[in-house]
Amino acid sequence: MKILLTGGAGYIGSHTAVELIGLGYDVVIVDNLRNSSEKVLDRIEMISGKKPVFYKIDCCDRTALEQMFSKENIDAVIHFAGLKAVGESCSIPIEYYRNNIDSTLALLDVMKKNNVNNIIFSSSATVYGAPDTVPIKETAPVGRCTNPYGWTKYMNEVILTDAAKADPELSVVLLRYFNPVGAHKSGFIGESPSGIPNNLMPYITQVAVGKLKQLSIFGNDYNTHDGTGVRDYIHVVDLAKGHASAIEYAMKHKGTEVFNLGTSVGYSVLDIVKAFEEATGVKVPYRIAERRPGDIAECYSDAQKSKEILGWTAQYNLVDMCRDSWNWQRKNPNGYEG
């Protein structure tokens, strides 16, 4: 069976490619390489023994997508492609709306023309906004997003749900990620942000390796156990395995279903710093900064539904996440570029 990964050269996509190849799937990657590197394809081959088919395509380009679909007999799509930084989305919202929504619309059009009826969408816990209670179940209210990035995820969920209502053959699985961290244990693939990282763990590892002076912790006056924001951090390999489980489910399912992918445990920013220092023996200097726009105090999952229906649970703990993140950063201080 052949699986298309849009944005598959990225952080989560590359790890998912490794898992899918290991399970015997054929993988095709489409990526415009705006936030990724073509070098990841060789790294995937180093781990899995097989190099994915690759097309340098922007998913907003319907013509290019149609040409690719005409060459590849795609059975299912995992849609990762999209801009993904919360802070940046507040600065350039129009670009986020245009890119993240247009790519989904183009993809759905081309899928329908080619009779491809299975799609797993890379959604986010940001669709929940500031939750009424934690842990967050899939039945919690959505559409109370606090930033444009979150709104694009929510809008895409609505678009995909409506498409499935209109087309009884379409199978849509919405995967709401919490906070992916870590890297493949080999150290060959990991998170390689361009410029200053937007996410916590790569920022910590870049401070630890000496690329950045210190970590900025945005706010220490939240209503949490130590005043810093609490999130559900999930190892990227666990997340990748969740996509493999979702593919199996999608192939025998019609309509729309949504699953949280998280650990069901919340850790604060300072918890992560402490765990990293304990796992690696490396100190992480930090300073307290003002809160960032769009951030919330606390967000972690109830992932019981994924366990019951997909047969999936997170296996890696916080020490694993920190150790593997550091292993990747040590071996690749400049990411894929050095």
Side-chain angles (χ1 to χ4, degrees):
M1 194 157 70
K2 188 173 289 187
I3 313 298
L4 171 64
L5 308 185
T6 71
Y11 175 43
I12 302 169
S14 59
H15 287 82
T16 301
V18 167
E19 292 301 318
L20 293 177
I21 292 169
L23 292 169
Y25 292 101
D26 293 321
V27 172
V28 177
I29 288 177
V30 160
D31 202 300
N32 66 2
L33 302 179
R34 173 169 171 168
N35 289 312
S36 57
S37 170
E38 195 169 350
K39 294 177 182 178
V40 77
L41 301 169
D42 293 325
R43 304 292 187 93
I44 292 170
E45 185 178 22
M46 290 166 67
I47 298 168
S48 69
K50 189 173 183 180
K51 192 171 185 176
V53 174
F54 174 70
Y55 293 85
K56 186 179 179 182
I57 290 174
D58 189 314
C59 278
C60 296
D61 186 341
R62 280 175 171 80
T63 302
L65 282 177
E66 286 171 354
Q67 291 171 349
M68 183 277 299
F69 268 81
S70 71
K71 296 175 184 175
E72 305 291 342
N73 187 23
I74 303 298
D75 294 292
V77 177
I78 304 180
H79 185 27
F80 294 109
L83 301 175
K84 63 176 186 174
V86 168
E88 184 182 63
S89 78
C90 296
S91 302
I92 51 171
I94 302 304
E95 188 170 354
Y96 267 69
Y97 287 119
R98 180 177 294 118
N99 182 86
N100 291 5
I101 295 170
D102 279 2
S103 60
T104 301
L105 295 173
L107 183 62
L108 284 170
D109 280 349
V110 178
M111 284 175 60
K112 190 171 182 65
K113 288 178 182 177
N114 288 272
N115 199 32
V116 179
N117 296 314
N118 305 292
I119 182 167
I120 288 86
F121 176 59
S122 169
S123 192
S124 166
T126 56
V127 301
Y128 295 117
D132 296 328
T133 58
V134 288
I136 305 169
K137 293 179 178 288
E138 290 88 348
T139 52
V142 293
R144 302 186 299 187
C145 308
T146 58
N147 54 74
Y149 164 75
W151 280 115
T152 66
K153 291 298 187 184
Y154 171 70
M155 291 173 183
N156 274 324
E157 285 198 5
V158 172
I159 290 165
L160 287 159
T161 300
D162 285 345
K165 287 177 182 175
D167 182 353
E169 292 303 307
L170 190 60
S171 174
V172 171
V173 179
L174 308 174
L175 298 180
R176 292 174 182 161
Y177 310 162
F178 280 69
N179 290 65
V181 295
H184 193 271
K185 64 181 179 181
S186 65
F188 291 148
I189 58 174
E191 189 167 10
S192 182
S194 56
I196 297 175
N198 291 293
N199 296 327
L200 176 62
M201 189 63 81
Y203 207 112
I204 287 175
T205 60
Q206 289 195 17
V207 170
V209 84
K211 287 189 70 177
L212 296 171
K213 181 181 178 182
Q214 63 182 358
L215 171 68
S216 294
I217 296 177
F218 298 104
N220 66 344
D221 57 350
Y222 287 106
N223 185 25
T224 62
H225 67 272
D226 60 17
T228 63
V230 168
R231 299 291 183 270
D232 185 339
Y233 295 91
I234 175 173
H235 198 294
V236 67
V237 172
D238 275 331
L239 194 58
K241 291 177 185 293
H243 289 79
S245 298
I247 284 285
E248 294 175 15
Y249 176 80
M251 299 304 291
K252 57 188 179 183
H253 164 266
K254 300 299 179 187
T256 303
E257 198 61 75
V258 56
F259 297 98
N260 287 336
L261 293 183
T263 65
S264 303
V265 179
Y267 294 103
S268 75
V269 177
L270 287 175
D271 288 337
I272 300 297
V273 171
K274 182 179 178 182
F276 183 88
E277 292 178 341
E278 290 178 353
T280 66
V282 180
K283 293 294 289 181
V284 180
Y286 66 85
R287 71 179 184 94
I288 304 299
E290 291 185 2
R291 294 185 184 189
R292 287 185 303 190
D295 277 349
I296 59 177
E298 199 170 28
C299 179
Y300 60 95
S301 71
D302 180 328
Q304 185 64 25
K305 182 179 177 183
S306 292
K307 180 180 181 179
E308 292 174 355
I309 297 178
L310 299 181
W312 173 90
T313 54
Q315 300 297 314
Y316 293 89
N317 61 32
L318 192 56
V319 172
D320 297 326
M321 299 178 207
C322 293
R323 182 195 62 237
D324 291 343
S325 295
W326 179 232
N327 183 45
W328 154 256
Q329 183 70 74
R330 270 192 313 110
K331 291 181 176 177
N332 305 272
N334 297 308
Y336 293 110
E337 303 312 312

